[in-house]
Amino acid sequence: MTQTASIFLSLSIALLSGLLLSRLAKLVNLPAVTAYLVAGVLIGPFALGALGLPGIGITSDQIEGFGIISDLALGFIAFSMGNEFRLAQLKKIGKQATIIGIFQALITTVVVDIALIALHFAMPETLSLPAAIVLASVATATAPAATLMVVKQYKAKGPVTDVLLPVVALDDAVGLVVFAISFGIARSLNSTGVSILSIIFEPLLEIVLSLVLGFVMGLLFTFCEQYFHSRSKRMAVTVTFVMLTVAVSCIRFEVGGMHIGFSSLLACMMLGTVFCNFCEVSEELMDRADRWTTPVLILFFVISGAELELSVFADWAVVLAGIVYIIARSIGKCYGANISARMTKCDPNIIKYLGITLLPQAGVALGMAIKAIELGPDGAIVRNITLFAVLIYELVGPYLTKMALTKAGDIKAEGRTSARPETK
């Protein structure tokens, strides 16, 4: 079997396994995104993929080659998140979402810092101080992909959802800043020859450049869209600019000893924000883009499930630190959202349920963990604990999000969902 045939066969099996398992998940009232992740685990390198049979599962080597799918899917997810920053919407909940987004992230960092530093002093051989500090900053990040999939699947609509999506989007920016500061402190604890200015300044510059890139691309997108009138061509223009923004975001270069790069999540989010505020038909095009990207998103979550490394369960120190991290982060997110929602006088359902919806964690946290590898042995600990937490959060988080939105009244009882005609 040729390499091309093997890749397409693996992708088709990944897509089919995700779809079939989503039907089983529906029977037990679980979100589809959980089914996709479980499907990825089952066909991944630690299950069927370990057999090494072509087309049966996904191997570790194939996962590296599927990175382009993940990059594209995250680009469209971030683009959709930009739709939540319409000026008309922000006038209503912008102040509340901003305060909650920043405040709950900082509270989470403090709570996790206290818990992990205490673990360090109690069991110094299990967790070092630099690793504890970096892990606390990783705790700020959430998983916009999983959250958005749950919202779309159940057509969630209401006060909690209105605040949730902007808060999740803000988490990435806040998380990057907190991580930059914490990472700089950790590096200074391990070495005296590191430029703290560059460590802190590089992520801040990345945020600014990413937003500028997204803003420019958004203006170009809006300008080009008006020259096309058929729905299919306007849809093609939408896909083109999301892909173009992701492509430019992958560029990395060095200036004066500083590493300059972009965040595709922030750039694509700004692309969507500018487009939805400047284009009169943006709602229609974004809705059509959501339909077009469904297979890509399913593949993204199945591949994400395959990437989860079950080997982290073999190290008791990682499991112990991971449990402490998960408990502390959950407390920080829930109480941080509760306190900040009370401060901004939000709807009672937002105060009660928003924190639970912020528990899923994945992409951005994993990106931070990969960056932390530069710390050496401490970075490896950060990566393994983050992988353990992501595995738990991604499998449980979407269900908790759905449960919270249902109790808040944002998810209504489903009516008839089949597109097939009814037969008597």
Side-chain angles (χ1 to χ4, degrees), residues 45-68:
F46 291 92
L48 292 178
L51 300 177
L53 300 176
I56 298 301
I58 297 178
T59 64
S60 299
D61 293 337
Q62 286 178 319
I63 288 177
E64 294 180 8
F66 293 156
I68 186 173

Side-chain angles (χ1 to χ4, degrees), residues 100-102 104-106 139-144 165-177 266 329 333 358 360 364 368:
I100 294 173
I102 296 174
Q104 57 83 24
L106 295 178
T140 59
T142 51
L165 295 178
V167 167
V168 170
L170 283 170
D171 256 353
D172 288 339
V174 177
L176 284 171
V177 174
L266 291 178
R329 180 179 179 272
K333 286 290 181 184
L358 298 175
V364 177
M368 293 176 179

Side-chain angles (χ1 to χ4, degrees), residues 151-187:
V151 169
K152 287 184 177 180
Q153 179 187 352
Y154 296 101
K155 298 179 177 62
K157 189 176 182 181
V160 179
T161 305
D162 289 342
V163 173
L164 168 63
L165 295 178
V167 167
V168 170
L170 283 170
D171 256 353
D172 288 339
V174 177
L176 284 171
V177 174
V178 174
F179 177 78
I181 296 172
S182 299
F183 189 69
I185 295 172
R187 287 284 291 268

